[in-house]
Amino acid sequence: MHLVTLARHTLSRGATPAATYALLARLGHPPFPCAEAVCLALDIPPAETARRLGECHGALLTNPRPDSEADTGEVLEALGIFDVPKDLTPTERAVVAHFLTAVDAMGGIRPGHRHGLQRWFTTGNLITAYLSLVAARPMPRTGDPARYWTALVTAGELLATTLPSDHRITYALTHCRTRATHP
């Protein structure tokens, strides 16, 4: 059976992408084709699949340790290799643009936070991205608090127009408005 077909079948039965990778690898297939098959089975475009796997190929997929298939699958999933991109609407793209303005106004961001934001942008999980940025703060010496909170107010207003009454957004937007007027 072709690896992509087997991956699609496994995913259709409710397996996670990490578990699907582990199954293919345990069947004796090399790591790179297994990861590629999972991506393609998730309908991640071939060029995007190649880019993602190229970034982690040497570190994870070249010389796997015995019995590490499940761990490797979990790491690939945590890195966002198996994230299915969402086509964002024009409003969602505008929200992301305001998020990026806020990130720039932070004056510095932890790599893990940046990675999480990028994954949420890719998958269209903009509420989580928004709440994450609202919980963060601009750096005291290098950040621009007024610009940061203003960008989040604008992003929150856009999100509020696209979502049916989400109390988390309403509360976060109120917080951002307060911070924008009293940075």
Side-chain angles (χ1 to χ4, degrees), residues 31-142:
F32 188 89
C34 292
E36 182 179 46
V38 173
C39 288
L40 296 174
L42 291 166
D43 294 324
I44 297 170
E48 178 64 11
T49 295
R51 185 192 67 75
R52 291 179 187 191
L53 293 177
E55 291 176 355
C56 71
H57 181 267
L60 288 172
L61 303 174
T62 303
N63 296 311
R65 292 178 296 120
D67 300 320
S68 66
E69 300 87 359
D71 293 339
T72 301
E74 291 293 330
V75 170
L76 291 169
E77 195 162 331
L79 288 172
I81 301 300
F82 302 136
D83 285 352
V84 177
K86 179 186 182 273
D87 286 331
L88 300 179
T89 66
T91 301
E92 289 170 328
R93 286 194 299 274
V95 168
V96 170
H98 290 293
F99 288 166
L100 293 173
T101 298
V103 167
D104 184 54
M106 285 179 91
I109 185 169
R110 295 181 332 274
H113 193 190
R114 181 178 299 279
H115 175 71
L117 288 169
Q118 187 57 50
R119 289 189 69 194
W120 295 324
F121 298 165
T122 298
T123 60
N125 194 349
L126 302 185
I127 294 172
T128 302
Y130 183 64
L131 297 175
S132 173
L133 287 167
V134 170
R137 302 222 177 333
M139 301 295 285
R141 295 177 195 256
T142 57

